[in-house]
Structures are given as structure tokens and as C-alpha cells.
Amino acid sequence: FPYGLNAHNVALTAWDNMGQKIDLLRVKELDLHLAKLPLGDGPLVIKRIIIKEPSAHFILNENGLVGTRGLVKPQTDSADDEEDTTETTPAPPGSPPTSRKKSKKEKPSDYFRLRRFEMHDGQIVFEDHRQRANRPVLTWKNLNIDLDTEPKTGSLYSYELSANNASLATVNARGKVDVDTAMLDIQRFVVGVKVERGRRQEQLPPAWQEILQRYDVAGIMSYSGAATIPLKNPAQSQYHALLDLSSGSAQISSGPGRVDRLALKVRMASEEKGAAT
């Protein structure tokens, strides 16, 4: 105190269409450190966040994600929200001074101070309750994330990201992000996946688990590359990547036939629609 907060058994709750209470997010332990005193009307400036054993629960129905309405204050164009002020500029002798409106609206770079984010042993549960969906509950377990950022110039930050889903997948990425323009530059990313024969992968969707078991799949795969992603318009993203299945095997039928070893490399890149073939 007053630069930090440590809380246990934190929950964000909502009610579904049947009036039942659900936890949108529950965290066993939350450790939050501020970059400055939370005084005045300005935003909360966070330096470090450490989350232990978080569990997020998403339920999708015909009206969207349950519990998300009203979480964020809607944007308005009212004068109160803009908080404009008038700035006067001196003029040469004999000329009247000029004035212009100066907006106090904050940019993300005004309050972005996050240097470290950690998530330990996280879990995500997703349920699709839309009509005709008929999909089983999807659960990801054992999620761990480490993110470090470092300021460069103005709103530009470099970052290092590592994540893993224990015993199944690892993710590493580095690059830069402009927090004002929401431009994400991934200079290098690597996703590694390892599937062991006979081992149940409970963190995968049930349909995927069934396929792995039915065909007795085993193998090691990596997906690597680079990308530039405008987060406000992801459709304009540019990327190049390599999918490398270094070793894979599977039971391809109910008979004795088996693919003992399969090696595969696929190179992919974004292109203009006219050039893509």
C-alpha cells in the first residue's frame, strides 16, 4: 500500500438467461503493482500483474457472450466526455491572439506502463449454447504466460512473450507494438506442438481428442514465421510462415496399415488477391 494490491479468490460474476449466477473470471491470487499513486481522475497506471490459477468461463448464446453487456462504459460524443479546453497562442504586435481547442482525451500511451504480466496454471472453459450448435464443452488447462515489455520511443514498445500448455504446446514470440495505433509487429514467432501416442490430451477439444485416439496419432510439429497485424483491422495483416511436421505417424485404417513416419514442410505467405494462386 498504496502502490500495490494483493487479493485472493477474486471473482467477476454475472447472470445467464436463466437467472443462474456464473463466474466469468475467478482468480485464486492476484498481485497487482501500480506505476504511480492512484490519485485524481486519471487512469489506473499498472506496472506489473501476476495472476495465479485463473479460470475464465465463456458462454456464447444467440445474444453474444453472456455477462459482457455493461462491463465497459459506452463511448459518447458528449462535451463532458471530451473535456476540451481552449489554448491561446500569442500573436505578433498589432495582431489579435489566436485560440484553438485542445482535447484532454487520453491516448493509450498516456497510461500504458505494463512491464510484466504473468499467468500461472490458467484454465479457459467455452460453452456454445446457440441453437443447432450442439457442441461439447471446450476446456483448456495448464495455461502459462510470461510477457515483458520495454519502452522504445513514444508509444512504441518491444515485447517478449512465452506461453505453454503443459506437455502439449509452447509459444514464443518477440517484436514491437504501437499502443496508440494498435499496430502489432511480430518479428518472430514459434509454436511447437508435441503429441505422444496413448497419452490423453485433456486440454484439447473433445473432438480433437477423439481423432488423436482413434488414429493413434503421434508426432512433433512447429509453426514459425513473422507477421504485421493492424489490430483495428486484422484483415489487412501481412505474414509469412513455415509449417514443419518433422515426424508424424498414425493408424490410417482399422486394419494393420500404419504411416510409420511422415515429414512435411509447407510455406505460407499473405498475398494480394490478384497475385494469390
Side-chain angles (χ1 to χ4, degrees), residues 4 6 83 109 117 158-159 215 217:
N6 184 266
E83 296 186 10
S109 59
F117 174 82
S158 64
Y159 66 87
Y215 296 104
V217 175

Side-chain angles (χ1 to χ4, degrees), residues 3 31 41 59 64 77 92 112 115 121 150 167 230 245 248 257 263 272:
Y3 285 97
D31 192 11
D41 297 329
I59 299 177
D77 296 327
F112 185 85
R115 298 291 178 269
D121 199 16
E150 180 181 348
S167 77
L245 177 63
E272 295 293 336

